[in-house]
Structure formats: structure tokens, C-alpha cells
Amino acid sequence: MKEKIRTILMERGGFVSGQELSELLGVSRTAVWKAIRQLEEAGYEIEAVRNKGYRLVSEPDLLTAEAISARLCTKWAGQEILSFDEIDSTNNEVKRRAEAAAGHGLLAVSEVQTAGRGRMGRPWSSPAGSGIWMSLLLRPALAPIQASGLTLVMALAVREAIVTMTGAACGIKWPNDIVSEGRKVCGILTEMSAEPDRINHIVIGVGINVTDDSFPEEICDRAISIWQICGQKIRRAELIAEILKQFELFFDRYLQNGDMSALLEDYNAALINRGQKVRVLDPAGEYEAVAEGINASGALIVEKDGMRKEIISGEVSVRGVYGYV
Ligand code: ATP
């Protein structure tokens, strides 16, 4: 009943009287009123006006498979969606499903991650309600060496989706972070299962701070949310649908040559490190250099003492000279 009333209010857009609802559903007006209360408790905002009836003002920002599917316009990405209230990590879940033969394009999302991770096992803060914690399963016809570029492809897709939906000023910090105002709004973690010459599967995890207005102390100097950047509380399901749409487009271009060559201009234009002095945290020794941009394999080209060097993402991190960016 609650569901039927929700559907009627959504389809009409304007006011529907209590009388009409009770006639359409064959129930009493008190039953209609109770269902309206239940919808409000579930986060729907409903305006009630005497002599006019009820009008749906806004829906809750749900992160369910239905909410995402209803907004999706993709060919394959997210055509199957698993949504959880809580999970250890969406990457772990998609890896488990991949081992059990799940297909290309499977998406997992969760309201909370209890063991969210970044690169090199670093913790990723994933609280309830304010962010997007999701993972996409890929089974591409690529060689294992071509997999790491997909992190950059996802970075392009997330940035494009955020900019399209909000106009927020944000860029990419090589290789895998979306940043704004010197802080990280999104992190991306790509994991792969492969044999020497064949990819079994790739899992791309994406963590986005969407509506947070504060962060835990350990990351408050380097984290930012979309809400903090542009003052818009966007719907997470809509952003996910937009990211998947953008990912399909960029992914097709990546597949053209199996590398970043068709995406070089887009990526380098979004790269905030470009032309900037950076600190390269290489386990073999830290140094400062000027970042020029990426090459077709996704490596960062830096210039140091008149020499050009290629940085491959693996174990290396890049920072600004004075801070995180
Ligand atoms: P790199 O430059 O090598 O990617 P990184 O420190 O940005 O380094 P990641 O693996 O991308 O590393 O992300 C993990 C780090 O991100 C954590 O160590 C923490 O500092 C930070 N972090 C954790 N949770 C969040 C969050 N919700 N938003 C922004 N930053 C976070």
C-alpha cells in the first residue's frame, strides 16, 4: 500500500487528494494517512494541504539497487547490482562474487564498509549515509599489464560525473584520487586476479565523500565532500548512474588501443599535478620533480635535473611539495 501511494504521488508530481487515493486503492482515508506517515518515517518528504491532498516533495537518498537501476542508462555497467547495509569492503564482496563466476559489469554498493581500504592496505573511512562505497567487476579482453590504466579511466569517469552533476571544480591527483581545494573527495582502488598472460577479473573500488560535513581527525586535513565543495546535496544513486555511464564511454576509448592514448588529452587536462612541482615518494628514495603529464601507459612523466623519468603507479605516491596535493 505504502509502495502504491508512493508510485501514484511520484507519477502525478502534484497534489492527490486523500479521497482519491482511498478510492483508487479501495481503503479508508485513515489507512491512506497511516501509509503517508510510514513513507515520511522512511525519509520521504510529503506536503499535506487541506482540500488539496498530498504531494511528494522529495525522496530519501537511498542507496538501493532499485534506486540506482531506476536512473541507469548503461549497456552493461551496473546491469546487475548488489546493495548492502553493511559489508567489510565492496571490493572484497565483488572479488568473492567474481570467484563464484559473477559477470562483467556487476556492481556492489554498501551504506557502510567496516574494513574499507585504499592502496597498499591503507584504511579508507566509509561511514553510513554520507558517501558512495562501490565496486565494479570487469572481465576485459586485455593483458594483465594493461589493467592498471583502468584506475585512471575510472578517475576520469568519476571526475566527469561530479563536474556534470554539480559543476564543482575538481581535478585528478595522479593516479587515483579526485581532489578539490587540496583535499581528497574520491579514492579509487583497483585489484586484479590474473595469470601471467590472462586477466581473470578486475575489481575497481570507488569511495566518494558526498554529503559529509566533517571527517575523523586522522583525515580531516586531507578529506573533503562534494557538499563541502559546492554546497549541493546530490543524490548518491544519481551520481552512481552518471559515473557508470561515463565509465562505459571512457572504457570504450581505452579499449580502442588498450591504453590511455585516446584519453591522454582528457586525463592531462584534468591532472592537477601538471606543470607542478611534486614530491615523489619512491620506496627507493624520495625526490622532488616537476610533473609533465601521463603517457599512453598511464605512467606519470616527471622532469628532474633536466632528465625525464617515468613513474609507474605500483608502490609510488606523489604529493605536493607543501602538502597532500
Ligand atoms: P596515494 O597518493 O599513494 O594514493 P593516499 O594516501 O592518497 O596515497 P590511498 O590509498 O589513495 O592513499 O587512500 C588511503 C588514504 O586516504 C588513507 O591513508 C587516508 O589518509 C585517506 N582517507 C581515508 N579515508 C578517506 C576518505 N573517506 N576521504 C578522503 N581520504 C581518506
Side-chain angles (χ1 to χ4, degrees):
M1 156 103 106
K2 188 172 90 184
E3 204 37 53
K4 284 184 184 153
I5 292 183
R6 185 185 75 99
T7 309
I8 295 170
L9 293 181
M10 268 175 78
E11 284 172 357
R12 295 284 186 89
F15 283 99
V16 185
S17 72
Q19 182 65 35
E20 186 181 349
L21 285 171
S22 73
E23 281 166 14
L24 281 170
L25 301 172
V27 296
S28 71
R29 290 188 61 169
T30 313
V32 168
W33 181 83
K34 277 192 187 150
I36 294 277
R37 284 284 156 281
Q38 285 170 3
L39 285 169
E40 286 178 332
E41 275 158 26
Y44 290 86
E45 197 185 334
I46 296 171
E47 187 183 10
V49 175
R50 194 184 287 257
N51 297 328
K52 277 180 148 181
Y54 302 102
R55 182 176 76 89
L56 184 61
V57 177
S58 70
E59 292 174 71
D61 181 22
L62 295 177
L63 208 54
T64 59
E66 299 73 43
I68 300 165
S69 296
R71 293 164 169 90
L72 208 56
C73 55
T74 58
K75 292 196 286 279
W76 54 267
Q79 288 301 318
E80 191 188 344
I81 301 176
L82 307 167
S83 59
F84 301 91
D85 291 333
E86 185 179 299
I87 198 102
D88 51 349
S89 121
T90 55
N91 263 30
N92 287 352
E93 180 62 21
V94 171
K95 283 195 272 181
R96 291 189 282 262
R97 302 284 175 145
E99 297 298 339
H104 183 66
L106 172 76
L107 182 82
V109 294
S110 182
E111 275 292 349
V112 177
Q113 291 189 116
T114 52
R117 280 172 293 115
R119 295 205 307 150
M120 297 169 244
R122 295 170 186 139
W124 184 265
S125 162
S126 325
S130 58
I132 292 174
W133 326 123
M134 69 176 199
S135 298
L136 182 65
L137 174 62
L138 302 177
R139 294 188 183 277
L142 293 170
I145 196 167
Q146 296 167 304
S148 64
L150 294 172
T151 299
L152 285 69
V153 176
M154 183 57 92
L156 273 172
V158 173
R159 178 183 173 275
E160 192 63 35
I162 294 175
V163 171
T164 304
M165 281 190 64
T166 67
C170 56
I172 300 173
K173 172 178 156 299
W174 183 86
N176 63 334
D177 296 327
I178 312 299
V179 297
S180 185
E181 299 170 27
R183 291 159 191 245
K184 178 153 53 176
V185 66
C186 165
I188 298 166
L189 175 68
T190 300
E191 297 181 286
M192 171 169 72
S193 153
E195 286 153 42
D197 55 352
R198 197 179 140 262
I199 293 174
N200 296 325
H201 63 255
I202 291 174
V203 180
I204 308 186
V206 177
I208 310 176
N209 305 317
V210 182
T211 55
D212 316 62
D213 46 24
S214 64
F215 289 95
E217 206 183 324
E218 1 23 296
I219 56 168
C220 64
D221 62 335
R222 64 172 53 182
I224 194 166
S225 69
I226 294 177
W227 157 247
Q228 289 173 323
I229 301 169
C230 63
Q232 292 179 46
K233 292 230 162 161
I234 55 172
R235 288 188 182 280
R236 295 173 297 168
E238 267 173 44
L239 181 57
I240 292 174
E242 185 63 31
I243 291 169
L244 297 180
K245 176 179 142 196
Q246 296 292 348
F247 184 78
E248 282 194 351
L249 297 172
F250 286 119
F251 182 68
D252 276 351
R253 286 166 65 196
Y254 189 82
L255 292 184
Q256 280 170 23
N257 307 307
D259 64 23
M260 291 296 287
S261 48
L263 297 169
L264 269 186
E265 271 182 35
D266 292 78
Y267 191 92
N268 282 331
L271 186 65
I272 48 123
N273 313 101
R274 199 176 190 192
Q276 303 289 318
K277 210 167 190 190
V278 291
R279 184 150 192 84
V280 180
L281 311 183
D282 189 328
E286 292 184 18
Y287 59 92
E288 284 182 10
V290 175
E292 292 186 352
I294 61 157
N295 64 12
S297 59
L300 184 69
I301 309 297
V302 298
E303 198 207 288
K304 182 179 180 287
D305 305 330
M307 303 266 286
R308 298 178 91 210
K309 291 181 94 160
E310 241 184 56
I311 308 178
I312 297 159
S313 61
E315 297 279 295
V316 179
S317 295
V318 168
R319 297 277 180 274
V321 182
Y322 301 111
Y324 172 64
V325 173

